Amino acid sequence: MLNRRTLLGAAAGTLAMPTLLGAQEANTLRITGWGGAWGEVMRSKHIPTFEKAHNCTVEVDTAFPFVPKLLASPRGRPVYDVLHTNSNEQWSVFEQGLVERRPDLKLVPNAAKTYPYATSDSIVGIVIFTSAIGLAWRKDRIQAAPASWKDFWKPEYAGKRASYVIPANSLGQALFMMAGKVYGKGFKDLDASFKAMEAVKPVRLFDFTGGAENAILAGELDIAVLHDTAAYRNQDKVPVEFAAPSEGVMALEQVLSVTTGTPKKALAHEWINFMLSQEVQRSMAETVWYSPVRSDLTLAEKYRGKLLTTPEQVATLVQMPWQWYNENKDRIDDRVNRIFRG
Amino acid sequence: MAAVTAHGAPTLPRSSAWLLLTPALAMFILFFAVPFLTMATMSVLSGNPMVVPNPRFTTRHFERILDDVYYLETLWITVRLGLSTTIVSLLIGYPLALWLARARSRTTRTLLMMAVLAPMMMGLVVRTYAWLAMYSNRGVINGSLAWLGLTDEPIQFLGSEAAVVVALAHIYVPFMILTLSGVIARIDTRLEEAARGLGASSAAAFLQVTLPLSMPGILAGSLLVFALAISAYVTPIVIGNYNIQTLPMLVYQQISSSFNLGFAAALGIVLLIVALLLVGAYNRVMARAPGAA
């Protein structure tokens, strides 16, 4: 039976609900992130640590694509507080005014410990990890290790090589630019890149990196444009090797930026600082095989010579001109769509 | 109190009828009319109103589609894929639906129904990846051919239109069977028996009695499969290996990586208009077919 005390309690609870929800909302950091091995380590280890330290909740959206959702959210009330994507997308959203050019580095003390490429002019936001894009190849199928990007175009790999749907995938876009450098005058040599794309057929194209990773692990294909992370973390299971071509490995940066107008700016900066902490940098490097951006980390022997941790190794990373690419994206997409159409 | 019509059937007062209609109407407005109007508006704006403060009216997205033969060719491939999938699904689905509808044994009907429904229990992505495993270089088909010594090098199934149509038909054929079997089951078998009694062969009885009477099912099943096939994304991109490019793929590209919502909306509107025209024409033709209601 409903008595007066219960009724008053229920009414008070109902009236307090918006305030409670508002308080919870104010304490919730909304970010984007990856699933898979990355997501598992983040969920089980690092997110709970951050939540405890800052008395907050971290909500991660792993349902790609993120940018259209950010675009659809009202100005001044962005759906995310911190945007985590690869560098190419960061340029697009920055040009639309949806993220800040750079986090306030005074609020990110760990940024002082990073290699300069983490905050180079070619980056919007700040790099927290990087992978090297090179060639993953099956040791049981290929006799001589590929040494140059040109090896990817060898006729014997016709139909047995994997790349990506260029309009949709940043590795495909990076290969497109690298083809301009290898076969033409530089990354921006569109004609050379288009010719190279014609020449690379037949090729299996994937929209997600995971598709190419699975195909090469299953032995379905012999060689793939892939990041070192995917190759190294599977070497104990299959005979797959990673080759860093002589022309350089392309940087696949994991970038964080603060969204324009987020009301949780301070917490957003805390999160970025946390991701650059020694603990997270070491843990993600040693469990998920991402190269840390901190210059003061010494990893275990197993990772040396593979992950890019020394200044000499970091110098082999090539940062791609994503701002230029995005300005020309429509033109490039139009043409490559035609090239790869059967 | 309910009124009574001239035929004696009770009718509801107008206010009650509207009240009953409200939930369906609200759903229709919320989940169809509003998204459609938003898409239509986006297709004629110069920018995203969320980002650009004062977007202008423009027809440039539609001009881009009409001026470039690539988009028209892609539209044709999309429609062709839809038509091929519908025809293949109908050819496979009709005999099975007939068998399902006419099976005398309850066990046979149950087993057939389970066979039809089982693939639908798995997700679309799972079924598409199953086809990827069939078609791939070291997949079931190429592996069997190599094991039998019939091929030295794998046959490249992935990227062919036929491979996409077969995979799509496998995914959508249950929709055709379920729609058709309901209609066929309601056809009075005595009509066929009468035709045979009047001297028609089994084939003639089927062609002149059963097939025309199942036209409503053919129409509904075909429209359903066609609509699903022209809007398919996962199967064409995974099995088509980007050789087969369809409008839904371009729409997704524009939204997810080019962030050009206006052009994506224009592509969606064009696909919708073409689909409605085809559906209208098909409806007209089928309505004139003998046996159609």
Side-chain angles (χ1 to χ4, degrees):
Chain A
M1 184 97 179
L2 198 66
N3 59 32
R4 198 164 51 172
R5 183 174 293 179
T6 315
L7 192 69
L8 283 172
T14 311
L15 288 172
M17 200 69 116
T19 317
L20 291 172
L21 286 175
Q24 191 196 3
E25 166 67 18
N27 236 12
T28 302
L29 184 74
R30 294 204 164 86
I31 62 171
T32 60
W34 308 129
W38 172 285
E40 275 170 35
V41 180
M42 290 303 296
R43 268 195 311 274
S44 63
K45 194 172 173 191
H46 301 306
I47 290 177
T49 307
F50 183 81
E51 287 176 332
K52 203 172 166 189
H54 296 274
N55 189 27
C56 68
T57 309
V58 178
E59 270 182 18
V60 191
D61 182 2
T62 55
F64 190 80
F66 311 125
V67 177
K69 292 183 233 177
L70 185 60
L71 267 172
S73 64
R75 277 279 169 111
R77 209 150 44 86
V79 67
Y80 309 120
D81 305 303
V82 177
L83 181 72
H84 175 179
T85 66
N86 296 141
S87 35
N88 56 331
E89 287 179 311
Q90 294 283 353
W91 270 110
S92 296
V93 285
F94 168 66
E95 276 158 10
Q96 298 187 66
L98 298 171
V99 296
E100 293 179 359
R101 175 74 174 83
R102 188 87 66 210
D104 184 347
L105 297 184
K106 289 196 290 291
L107 302 175
V108 187
N110 282 326
K113 308 281 185 189
T114 60
Y115 280 110
Y117 79 87
T119 49
S120 75
D121 287 345
S122 64
I123 294 292
V124 164
I126 185 165
V127 180
I128 52 165
F129 291 96
T130 193
S131 304
I133 306 173
L135 294 169
W137 56 285
R138 294 280 304 205
K139 286 194 284 188
D140 54 341
R141 306 278 190 80
I142 293 176
Q143 303 305 318
S148 158
W149 281 106
K150 283 185 179 173
D151 290 343
F152 186 66
W153 271 260
K154 280 184 173 175
E156 61 257 42
Y157 303 141
K160 295 172 186 168
R161 57 187 154 222
S163 184
Y164 303 91
V165 175
I166 290 173
N169 186 287
S170 50
L171 274 78
Q173 294 163 7
L175 180 74
F176 177 86
M177 287 187 271
M178 182 54 86
K181 186 187 173 195
V182 171
Y183 288 105
K185 295 176 198 139
F187 294 130
K188 301 176 186 176
D189 188 341
L190 286 175
D191 287 337
S193 291
F194 288 133
K195 271 187 199 155
M197 293 304 114
E198 287 278 5
V200 82
K201 294 192 293 183
V203 56
R204 278 281 296 280
L205 298 174
F206 296 88
D207 49 352
F208 285 106
T209 320
E213 184 181 340
N214 288 338
I216 196 133
L217 294 181
E220 169 69 16
L221 297 164
D222 294 357
I223 187 166
V225 176
L226 205 61
H227 49 88
D228 55 351
T229 306
Y232 292 144
R233 68 182 168 208
N234 291 299
Q235 279 183 323
D236 54 341
K237 294 173 234 157
V238 288
V240 64
E241 192 49 88
F242 179 79
S246 56
E247 298 89 347
V249 285
M250 302 177 285
L252 178 66
E253 299 106 339
Q254 303 298 326
V255 185
L256 298 185
S257 60
V258 178
T259 53
T260 310
T262 168
K264 292 159 219 162
K265 225 168 192 172
L267 196 58
H269 282 87
E270 289 287 1
W271 174 257
I272 295 172
N273 196 49
F274 173 71
M275 291 302 288
L276 291 171
S277 65
Q278 280 234 6
E279 183 201 353
V280 177
Q281 290 276 299
R282 182 185 302 282
S283 156
M284 296 305 276
E286 295 187 348
T287 54
V288 203
W289 289 88
Y290 278 90
S291 292
V293 287
R294 278 186 81 113
S295 55
D296 59 350
L297 272 189
T298 308
L299 299 178
E301 183 65 34
K302 181 180 168 187
Y303 305 96
R304 284 182 221 153
K306 288 187 172 172
L307 294 185
L308 310 169
T309 51
T310 66
E312 296 74 34
Q313 288 167 327
V314 167
T316 65
L317 272 175
V318 181
Q319 288 191 299
M320 311 308 282
W322 289 114
Q323 190 178 13
W324 168 84
Y325 189 90
N326 287 337
E327 283 163 9
N328 291 278
K329 188 172 186 303
D330 270 354
R331 209 169 126 203
I332 296 169
D333 287 355
D334 261 12
R335 183 79 180 270
V336 293
N337 276 341
R338 286 168 170 80
I339 289 173
F340 287 106
R341 187 175 58 178
Chain B
M1 196 174 155
V4 177
T5 63
H7 306 289
T11 60
L12 280 171
R14 191 172 282 255
S15 56
S16 305
W18 275 110
L19 205 65
L20 285 174
L21 259 179
T22 305
L25 208 60
M27 291 280 280
F28 178 80
I29 292 171
L30 198 63
F31 296 112
F32 181 78
V34 172
F36 175 75
L37 288 174
T38 310
M39 184 171 84
T41 310
M42 290 293 291
S43 72
V44 289
L45 289 182
S46 60
N48 179 0
M50 295 277 204
V51 180
V52 182
N54 295 308
R56 286 173 293 103
F57 171 83
T58 180
T59 54
R60 73 182 153 97
H61 300 308
F62 290 98
E63 283 165 21
R64 182 175 165 191
I65 296 169
L66 295 173
D67 288 349
D68 191 337
V69 73
Y70 166 74
Y71 295 106
L72 300 177
E73 282 170 5
T74 307
L75 176 64
W76 166 234
I77 291 168
T78 312
V79 170
R80 194 171 68 201
L81 211 60
L83 292 173
S84 312
T85 305
T86 308
I87 292 166
V88 173
S89 301
L90 184 60
L91 291 176
I92 297 171
Y94 195 96
L96 287 170
L98 191 65
W99 188 14
L100 182 64
R102 297 281 165 87
R104 282 163 201 258
S105 148
R106 201 172 164 172
T107 316
T108 311
R109 269 205 310 276
T110 309
L111 287 173
L112 269 172
M113 189 56 97
M114 279 168 66
V116 170
L117 291 177
M120 292 177 81
M121 304 293 177
M122 286 184 286
L124 170 72
V125 176
V126 175
R127 280 181 283 170
T128 299
Y129 276 90
W131 276 104
L132 185 66
M134 294 282 283
Y135 288 140
S136 55
N137 286 355
R138 304 182 80 191
V140 177
I141 301 174
N142 272 317
S144 305
L145 291 173
W147 184 74
L148 292 168
L150 296 174
T151 53
D152 294 327
E153 284 292 310
I155 299 170
Q156 297 293 329
F157 292 107
L158 293 170
S160 75
E161 195 168 328
V164 178
V165 169
V166 169
L168 282 174
H170 165 249
I171 291 166
Y172 297 135
V173 88
F175 294 92
M176 181 68 87
I177 294 174
L178 290 176
T179 316
L180 271 170
S181 61
V183 173
I184 296 173
R186 284 198 298 274
I187 298 173
D188 191 341
T189 48
R190 286 174 300 181
L191 293 171
E192 257 182 75
E193 285 162 12
R196 278 213 293 276
L198 291 169
S201 64
S202 296
F206 170 75
L207 289 172
Q208 289 171 25
V209 178
T210 314
L211 189 63
L213 288 175
S214 51
M215 275 304 168
I218 293 176
L219 176 70
S222 303
L223 292 181
L224 191 61
V225 171
F226 178 73
L228 289 168
I230 60 165
S231 55
Y233 172 78
V234 177
T235 312
I237 199 162
V238 172
I239 306 295
N241 193 37
Y242 201 37
N243 271 353
I244 310 297
Q245 292 172 21
T246 61
L247 273 195
M249 284 159 67
L250 297 187
V251 171
Y252 183 74
Q253 244 177 44
Q254 289 298 322
I255 292 173
S256 68
S257 60
S258 297
F259 317 125
N260 190 345
L261 303 186
F263 189 52
L267 288 168
I269 294 281
V270 167
L271 183 60
L272 182 69
I273 291 170
V274 171
L276 286 177
L277 287 174
L278 281 167
V279 165
Y282 184 70
N283 230 335
R284 251 179 116 88
V285 171
M286 295 301 271
R288 286 181 189 165

